[in-house]
Amino acid sequence: MNENDSKQLPENAMVEDKALMAKADALFRFVMLYYDFANEKKDYGTGECVSMVEAHTLMEIADHPGITVSFLAERANRTKGAISQTIKKLDHMKYITRQKTDSDQRIVGLYPTERGMRLHQAHREYDYAEMCSTFDELLEYCSQEELDAFFRVVNAYLKIFST
């Protein structure tokens, strides 16, 4: 569409386009803020700071001992390279160990250490408390039905992005 074409649109179409663009801008700003939030290092109650990405990767390992990088990448919709970078950090911080499987020495399973399990438990407790607090705060601005609709939209986005 060139500049002349946009002038030929009915006036209400331009208003709807502005409204749509405002929604797109709000969504973009939300995604950027959440991206920063997810990568910010924080103390989940153990005295050490890790990012949400690292904590949630550890959660997957703790919940599925022996999981592989390939399976983690598939579950998180990330490349093996991206997951490997996070795994390297978790390994360096002694939150996980890598062990070759008995059935195939080429396959490496990931396991939480005792230290990793302490962080995992602290993170679960932190997440639960934060989610309760966040929902209470959101309910000051939105109804429960609106929050439920938001999560239906989030789940729809997850389906769209996963295909």
Side-chain angles (χ1 to χ4, degrees), residues 44 50-67 72 75-76 86-87 90 95-96 110-113 115-128 131:
Y44 289 100
V50 298
S51 71
M52 182 191 300
V53 172
E54 293 161 350
H56 280 262
T57 302
L58 176 61
M59 181 176 68
E60 287 292 328
I61 295 167
D63 290 346
H64 305 95
I67 194 168
L72 268 174
R75 286 180 61 87
T86 304
I87 294 303
L90 292 172
Y95 291 126
I96 64 162
L110 305 170
Y111 298 87
T113 61
R115 181 176 184 195
M117 287 305 292
R118 283 192 298 276
L119 173 59
H120 170 61
Q121 185 58 40
H123 170 251
R124 277 202 187 273
E125 292 169 9
Y126 179 96
D127 258 9
Y128 182 79
M131 289 304 294

Side-chain angles (χ1 to χ4, degrees), residues 94-119:
K94 309 287 190 224
Y95 291 126
I96 64 162
T97 61
R98 305 174 203 218
Q99 297 176 10
K100 293 181 179 181
T101 62
D102 293 335
S103 60
D104 187 340
Q105 292 292 301
R106 296 172 296 171
I107 298 174
V108 177
L110 305 170
Y111 298 87
T113 61
E114 284 184 35
R115 181 176 184 195
M117 287 305 292
R118 283 192 298 276
L119 173 59

Side-chain angles (χ1 to χ4, degrees), residues 11-54:
E11 188 174 317
N12 64 340
M14 293 301 292
V15 170
E16 290 174 4
D17 189 49
K18 287 179 184 175
L20 178 62
M21 295 313 293
K23 290 175 183 175
D25 182 58
L27 183 58
F28 176 76
R29 287 184 291 123
F30 171 79
V31 167
M32 291 292 94
L33 287 170
Y34 200 81
Y35 175 83
D36 291 343
F37 179 75
N39 287 295
E40 177 184 319
K41 303 273 185 181
K42 54 185 81 65
D43 180 356
Y44 289 100
T46 62
E48 297 181 52
C49 295
V50 298
S51 71
M52 182 191 300
V53 172
E54 293 161 350

